[in-house]
Amino acid sequence: MDRLMTEDPRWVGGYRVLGRLGAGGMGTVYYGTSPSGLPVAIKVIHAQQAQEPSFRSRFAREVTAARAVSGAFTAPVIDADPEAATPWLVTGYLPGMSLNEAVKAWGPFPVPAVFGLGASLAEALVSVHQAGIVHRDLKPGNVMLAPDGPRLIDFGIAHASDTAGITQAGTVMGSPGFLAPEQAVGGTTGPPGDVFALGSVLTFAATGQSPFGRAGGAEALIYRVVHDEPMLGGVTDPELRSLIAACLVKDPAKRPSPRWLLPRLAARAPGPEALQGTGWLPDPVAEGISRSEGAVPSRGPGRRTLLLAGLGAVAVLGGGSATAVAFARSGDARKTVPTPPPPAGNTPTPAAAVIPVPTKGKRLWKRDAGVDPYSGLTVAGDTVCVGGDQGNLIGLKTGDGKRRWGHRTGGRGAGAATWRQPVASGGAFYAGWADERGPLYAFDAATGAERWRAPMSHDVRTPTVGGGLVFVGSGDGFHAVDAATGKARWQRPIGGVLTSTPCFDAGTVFVDTQDGLYALNAASGATRWHWKGGGGRPSAARAPAAGGGRVFFPDAKGTLHALDAKTGKELWTYAGGASVGLPTLAGQAVYVADGSANIAALDAANGAVRWLCPTAGKEIGRPWAADGMLCLTVDEDAVGIQIVTGHIRWRAALGSRVRGDASAAGSYYVACEDGGVHAFTVKGA
């Protein structure tokens, strides 16, 4: 804080002025006290600008905006006189520092702190927009880090959200590098402009700079905001990067709303107690704010005060964000924090509808298989084929679950072999026998009768079917057999295929091995290409997905890779965090569970996140896509997610650990460890 100058006032509207906090384009902010002695921040418009009707009008809008949003939060507007000869505004005083100063002094914030900041600012914008106001100047300098939480300040260029932009032609209001493209070109700015700025602020907090760089003047920054893609390589956390990218979409209609962002940011923010204080901040920042709390602003030799009250009028975020965090951590943030739905396009849209609470899934039937369906199930025609333990195979009718046939191979007892996951094609299903010498079997789905068996020299895994062939990995390599007869067609001595389930598309079979991903000519077994990239090979059963000229597969380090199916060239990657599940391709999107218990919908062409659906689960199965829905298991629940919106539409308790699932003809089937086989309608109603 600076000492008062000769020309500075000593009193403003009954408030004592003690020192200068700073000056901006509109006026000067002073530190002072109220008649009762409380510390306040006093903003006074510059005398020369007080003569300009446009500046008076702008200041009056700031006062109106600040009063509209400050009622339920700390540091409210205390007093104002926009009609005075020299207009002024008084707010509660905020000790602390700006986000801009904190990052420049101590560097970028850790990931949890950025999520906490994001949740706080998203809730602030919810309140601002509910009041019918657009901030229009959200930037690091207008985010105050106070002893009891972050604050959004300075409504100097705010305007009503239901009015057109009032910027004069040829001028730009806002801060280059943080303003939205539509604002940069002087167009109409609405609430989505604040969301764009939020994405820029979070990038600054995570990386130390704007997503559009620092080089060049204002004109260069504005050009990059309008024409260039944001630079998010420094945002290391994949979920945070995807949320920021959604905010920074050029088209304002495709940006998420603050309500949609709030529960997703809050789910990984520090706890409520931390956000109400300084515990969520890096230690040097928290210590600096703590030193400032309660101190009298002064300017001493060699001492730079940390007490700043931004040049703005109001703080609009207090303990409210902690409530949202508590709700998000209670298990299902969607039930507690109503948010608009995400979009069908590449990024969430700010739709006005409230996300519905999931309904109870419609169960068509439940049957006790009489065995542990250890190997899962598949659907062939009108038969649900269940692979049980100790060599049991069971066929159930899809319509009512009644037993159609039973089949048992091998001996009984704890050491008896069992089946691998069965797969269906046409009126048959295929299953490998989990014994030292196989074999691979084909069964008639309607009767359970054995059609053929193909001897293998080692244990076999889950097969796939395509082009009239059955492809399967074994301990001695990779095999193709005739689907009608079981006769061997070819064999490749590829190592490490025992842990992989292959996939077939357009004459090529893809198999992920310990030595990389192979693309093999389905007719001959010849290698089309062999890709050795990625972050580690699979250590458990993996299954690529292929279609539309691309193949998608997860590695052991939590990354989903997309390659060109013809050349093996890597097209894009999606970092799912600690882990990433098995992908499902449907239409122009690929769906996968990430390491943060989300189901991610990714654009198949470029990997852009269309939506993220938090499941609040620990064990998340591979999604099945049908009839506009994704069906999957989350822990011991069956779940249906709308493909277009990413909403959880229905949920049903299974009561036991899941062994396997499949979807066919509008129904979703799940087999559980307790022997229960369940059937649900895909749409849940």
Side-chain angles (χ1 to χ4, degrees):
M1 185 181 72
D2 293 326
R3 294 188 177 92
L4 293 174
M5 300 180 179
T6 304
E7 64 271 20
D8 287 326
R10 268 46 180 181
W11 294 85
V12 174
Y15 297 87
R16 187 179 181 185
V17 180
L18 300 177
R20 276 179 166 243
L21 291 172
M26 289 181 64
T28 303
V29 178
Y30 300 99
Y31 173 78
T33 57
S34 69
S36 62
L38 293 176
V40 295
I42 308 165
K43 183 173 184 177
V44 180
I45 198 170
H46 292 315
Q48 66 272 24
Q49 293 174 344
Q51 309 304 315
E52 295 289 335
S54 62
F55 276 94
R56 278 188 169 273
S57 176
R58 178 178 167 186
F59 187 76
R61 291 196 308 275
E62 177 179 1
V63 172
T64 300
R67 282 175 167 163
V69 299
S70 64
F73 302 95
T74 58
V77 174
I78 296 173
D79 201 356
D81 188 356
E83 303 300 327
T86 303
W88 52 268
L89 172 69
V90 177
T91 72
Y93 175 72
L94 293 176
M97 67 186 71
S98 72
L99 174 65
N100 186 59
E101 289 190 322
V103 171
K104 287 187 175 180
W106 289 291
F109 284 11
V111 169
V114 180
F115 272 101
L117 177 68
S120 300
L121 294 177
E123 185 166 335
L125 290 179
V126 169
S127 299
V128 170
H129 297 165
Q130 280 182 335
I133 302 298
V134 181
H135 189 282
R136 296 210 304 167
D137 199 19
L138 174 53
K139 60 183 180 181
N142 283 340
V143 176
M144 290 295 296
L145 307 176
D148 56 349
R151 305 289 192 277
L152 175 60
I153 65 171
D154 201 342
F155 286 75
I157 63 172
H159 67 69
S161 60
D162 59 352
T163 62
I166 49 179
T167 306
Q168 293 181 354
T171 65
V172 175
M173 302 294 284
S175 302
F178 296 93
L179 77 175
E182 63 271 21
Q183 189 174 353
V185 297
T188 300
T189 305
D194 288 344
V195 173
F196 188 95
L198 173 62
S200 297
V201 166
L202 296 184
T203 305
F204 177 84
T207 68
Q209 66 177 7
S210 156
F212 300 97
R214 291 176 292 187
E219 294 82 2
L221 278 174
I222 290 173
Y223 179 88
R224 291 198 291 269
V225 166
V226 174
H227 299 287
D228 292 355
E229 292 302 312
M231 297 178 292
L232 302 181
V235 184
T236 57
D237 183 86
E239 185 175 13
L240 179 61
R241 185 169 61 248
S242 67
L243 291 173
I244 290 175
C247 295
L248 296 177
V249 172
K250 303 296 185 187
D251 185 351
K254 292 185 177 180
R255 293 175 205 146
S257 71
R259 281 190 179 276
W260 188 89
L261 290 165
L262 176 55
R264 289 156 175 82
L265 291 165
R268 290 187 56 193
E273 297 80 7
L275 281 178
Q276 289 178 326
T278 58
W280 64 282
L281 290 165
D283 289 343
V285 180
E287 291 169 4
I289 294 173
S290 296
R291 287 196 302 269
S292 76
E293 188 173 10
V296 177
S298 61
R299 185 181 181 89
R303 178 175 181 267
R304 186 185 185 283
T305 180
L306 296 175
L307 295 177
L308 299 173
L311 302 184
V314 65
V316 297
L317 209 127
S321 63
T323 303
V325 174
F327 286 164
R329 293 184 180 275
S330 68
D332 189 352
R334 294 173 177 271
K335 290 185 179 180
T336 311
V337 186
T339 60
N346 283 348
T347 55
T349 55
V354 174
I355 287 181
V357 175
T359 61
K360 185 177 180 180
K362 183 179 180 181
R363 196 187 312 266
L364 299 173
W365 50 260
K366 176 185 177 182
R367 297 292 177 182
D368 184 358
V371 296
D372 179 356
Y374 184 85
S375 305
L377 54 79
T378 189
V379 181
D382 58 356
T383 303
V384 179
C385 306
V386 182
D389 60 351
Q390 300 187 42
N392 287 286
L393 286 173
I394 298 169
L396 306 177
K397 295 179 181 179
T398 56
D400 56 15
K402 292 182 179 180
R403 188 182 182 99
R404 173 164 278 169
W405 50 259
H407 178 92
R408 191 176 69 82
T409 299
R412 297 184 180 274
T418 187
W419 297 101
R420 297 301 185 188
Q421 167 72 44
V423 299
S425 178
F429 71 98
Y430 307 85
W433 182 241
D435 202 353
E436 291 183 359
R437 306 187 71 83
L440 176 69
Y441 285 85
F443 295 94
D444 186 278
T447 65
E450 179 183 321
R451 290 188 175 182
W452 53 255
R453 67 180 69 181
M456 300 280 173
S457 60
H458 292 77
D459 184 14
V460 296
R461 299 299 293 192
T462 300
T464 194
V465 185
L469 299 175
V470 182
F471 307 95
V472 67
S474 180
D476 61 350
F478 195 68
H479 302 257
V481 301
D482 189 285
T485 65
K487 181 180 178 180
R489 288 289 189 88
W490 53 260
Q491 178 185 356
R492 286 290 308 275
I494 299 173
V497 298
L498 191 61
T499 60
S500 179
T501 300
C503 73
F504 171 88
D505 182 63
T508 302
V509 61
F510 303 92
V511 57
D512 196 11
T513 77
Q514 296 292 339
D515 191 34
L517 184 74
Y518 282 85
L520 306 178
N521 183 304
S524 66
T527 300
R528 296 188 188 275
W529 49 260
H530 177 203
W531 192 82
K532 294 186 178 182
R537 307 318 313 155
S539 57
R542 293 290 181 181
R550 304 175 186 89
V551 58
F552 311 90
F553 66 100
D555 67 21
K557 294 188 176 181
T559 299
L560 180 70
H561 299 265
L563 306 184
D564 185 286
K566 291 184 178 180
T567 65
K569 178 183 178 182
E570 186 167 73
L571 302 175
W572 54 263
T573 60
Y574 173 73
S579 64
V580 64
L582 303 184
T584 292
L585 179 66
Q588 301 302 311
V590 61
Y591 305 91
V592 67
D594 66 19
S596 300
N598 297 312
I599 295 294
L602 310 174
D603 189 285
N606 55 30
V609 177
R610 293 187 175 188
W611 49 255
L612 289 172
C613 174
T615 67
K618 295 181 180 179
E619 295 184 8
I620 305 172
R622 186 177 194 171
W624 294 81
D627 296 336
M629 298 289 293
L630 290 179
C631 295
L632 66 151
T633 59
V634 177
D635 297 331
E636 295 184 359
D637 288 352
V639 173
I641 299 174
Q642 290 177 315
I643 283 181
V644 171
T645 65
H647 296 168
I648 295 179
R649 179 168 178 176
W650 59 266
R651 200 169 192 133
L654 299 168
S656 181
R657 184 180 179 184
V658 174
R659 291 301 198 188
D661 58 344
S663 178
S667 297
Y668 177 55
Y669 305 91
V670 186
C672 295
E673 185 178 25
D674 64 0
V677 180
H678 307 251
F680 301 90
T681 60
V682 165
K683 293 188 176 181

